[in-house]
Amino acid sequence: MSSAIDKMKGISEADRKQIEKAQEMLGPDPETMGLAKNMYWGNIREDLIFPYPESDPAETARCDEVLAKLVHYLENEHPSVQIDQEEIIPGWAIKRLFELGIMGMTIPQEYGGGGFGITSYNRALEQIGRHCGSTAVLVSAHQSIGCRALFLFGTDEQKQAWLPKLATEMVSAFCLSEPNVGSDAGGQETTLEVSEDGEYYILNGEKKWATSGCYSGMFTVMTKQKMFDKRKNKEVEKVTAVIVTPDMDGVDIFSRNRSKVGIRGTWQARIRFTNCKVPRANLLHKEGKGLALALSCLNYGRCTLSAGMLGAAKRAYEQAGKWGQTRYQFDRPLADFEMIQDYMVKMAAFTYATEAVLYLTTGMMDRNDEDIMLETALCKLFCSEIGWMVMDDATQIMGGDGQCTENELERGWRDSRINRIAEGATEVMHSFVFAYGSKQLGEHLMNVKDKAANPKFWGKGLKLGAEMFLGMKASAPHVTRLSPQLIELQTIFEELVRDFSHALKVALKDNQDKIITRQTIQRRLSWCTIWLFGMAATLGRLDRSLRRGVSGAELDYEMKVGTYYIKYANSKSREEIRGLKDNVDEVMREAIGVVRGYIDSLPSEKYAIHEKSPNAQGTGRELPQDFIKQFGSGYTSLDDLK
């Protein structure tokens, strides 16, 4: 893409550097494009979704046994309310999760784990999410990112040393975020240098938001390392991952946790490393390959976050639905009123589609599809955003009672809000989905434009020119593998894929290099992709039910809520496409100057200011700590979590 970057005109140096950093972080494009990228081209890779992925029956049966024990524990023993109110997951509860095999589900059996696939693991996270968002985050952070890098990239010696403990008794943590590093994973400030004797790495820096860090036995730490790049013939900074333990000299857990609005039982540590000696045998993967490692782990973390959100949304839908049918106003149940009916059907359709999206994505991961980074991002966006809509509508149906602690819905509502921030904030993910999804198509259009003078390319150029300048749409892709009963919904999907791809090409033509900074346009196109991905998953799931012979009330439910989702998603997508032309973006750009000027006029000493702000550090108000629970510092054991 470096040649494509060089051709871009009128973009700032900061934007150019950001693009180059992103290209380096993501690496080369996979040889074969996956489901989502093909939709950008107006194609449908139906072989990836129809038939809908299935798990191995033997593993499913084995997972069912684990889930039965887990659900019994969650319903009868797990202290969900206590965890939220006291802001701590007791050590005995974490130990029970180890005993049930949940904390080691995906670790191979040879190391004492369950050896389960990603789909089975996410089925467990879904059940946990129904009962306790804090516990879902604990399990996900430990297994999806905390020790996932070790499982994927560790040496045989590292696996032998660590995985048996991580499967049965030891919690792990993933140390990526820093005070100045959130979504910018490549901007690590924690440094790693080889010691003079060559025996150790010397680690210096600070990590923030390390879930379970204060009681973890191992940390996967992302660092910045200076290396000589032969291709560039100069020294560069790259990201390297190492294993660190809390007992190493120079490790200081100076904050165990901070009190939060949601997922209150999870603890996010702050860890400082001062000349910490890390044995070179603790290198994970290869020097300079830490970003690839981190992105691989985040693929898993994004799915398990989605599973926890699905469980919470399902529970909220059922609770609010029951309330709507039993709570009377004006001598009628709330469910008799059409606006409440609209909420209820939407919640049913959204949870159905969310489940379809999650298990389509995990199915792709289990079968090792090559190009899934966009799919896992879409899964996270879909489940966190659509799931949050379910939570909010459920709270609205329950009214004032929905705000009361004993009904527990308010806890799920609070716990779910973080999902739009964690594992990639929604705004960053929208830009990523657009950029990564359209990258190869954009390069293709640029190459056709550059070769327009060559008669060999006139045919291709005329076809694209007719589409982008004359509005002549290409033919809609055709699906051949779906059940005949789905033909109406199939046609909606096919036509929307065509119209989305057409709108994208026109947007690229209209905005050209400005598209790099036009994030409101990126967001509209990203939302189209999200709705389309949900359509594909929903069609796949409906098709599976029809082929399985599902009938009666069960099939009637699936067909009606699935149809509602697909027609709703089609309507919302077409709103986004119309919004590419009919919007108030320019008015926003005209107004932002006076808005920012007003904000600048406010005295900083009255407001919270980020601790590492480059232009206002130390100028904010002193934040109150009285009456806010404090958690202290230092390492603690599971036995001390009471």
Side-chain angles (χ1 to χ4, degrees), residues 7-22:
K7 296 174 185 176
M8 292 179 179
K9 309 297 183 184
I11 64 171
S12 69
E13 187 60 28
D15 287 329
R16 190 178 298 276
K17 287 181 178 179
Q18 183 177 332
I19 296 168
E20 290 174 346
K21 186 186 292 186

Side-chain angles (χ1 to χ4, degrees), residues 65-80 82-83 89-103 124 127-128 131-132 135-136 138-139:
E65 293 181 6
V66 173
L67 292 186
K69 296 176 182 177
L70 173 64
V71 170
H72 182 272
Y73 163 73
L74 291 169
E75 292 180 347
N76 296 283
E77 298 179 54
H78 195 65
S80 301
Q82 176 189 339
I83 286 170
I89 302 176
W92 69 261
I94 299 174
K95 289 181 179 180
R96 285 288 285 127
L97 293 170
F98 274 114
E99 292 168 5
L100 290 166
I102 301 303
M103 297 291 276
Q127 290 300 323
I128 297 172
H131 295 83
C132 180
T135 304
L138 162 75
V139 175

Side-chain angles (χ1 to χ4, degrees), residues 368-382:
N368 297 313
D369 283 12
E370 179 187 13
D371 188 20
I372 59 165
M373 191 177 296
L374 190 54
E375 282 71 13
T376 59
L378 286 167
C379 179
K380 189 273 176 184
L381 264 175
F382 190 100

Side-chain angles (χ1 to χ4, degrees), residues 214 252-258 268-271 631-634:
C214 76
D252 176 22
I253 301 171
F254 66 94
S255 172
R256 292 175 177 170
N257 188 33
R258 292 161 70 190
Q268 283 75 34
R270 299 191 68 167
I271 307 171
F631 298 84
S633 61

Side-chain angles (χ1 to χ4, degrees), residues 436-452:
Y436 194 53
S438 65
K439 173 176 177 287
Q440 287 158 295
L441 175 61
E443 291 175 348
H444 172 71
L445 296 178
M446 193 177 293
N447 287 334
V448 170
K449 178 182 176 182
D450 289 344
K451 297 175 181 178

Side-chain angles (χ1 to χ4, degrees), residues 192-239:
L192 191 75
E193 300 176 349
V194 178
S195 62
E196 292 184 3
D197 60 12
E199 296 294 317
Y200 296 92
Y201 293 111
I202 306 300
L203 180 65
N204 284 282
E206 181 181 323
K207 294 296 178 178
K208 189 177 182 181
W209 307 122
T211 297
S212 307
C214 76
Y215 50 85
S216 291
M218 69 154 283
F219 312 138
T220 298
V221 182
M222 311 305 296
T223 72
K224 176 176 65 179
Q225 183 181 14
K226 291 183 178 180
M227 305 175 65
F228 185 78
D229 189 317
K230 293 182 179 178
R231 183 174 59 86
K232 296 181 178 180
N233 195 34
K234 65 178 182 179
E235 190 175 62
V236 297
E237 293 180 339
K238 294 193 175 184
V239 177

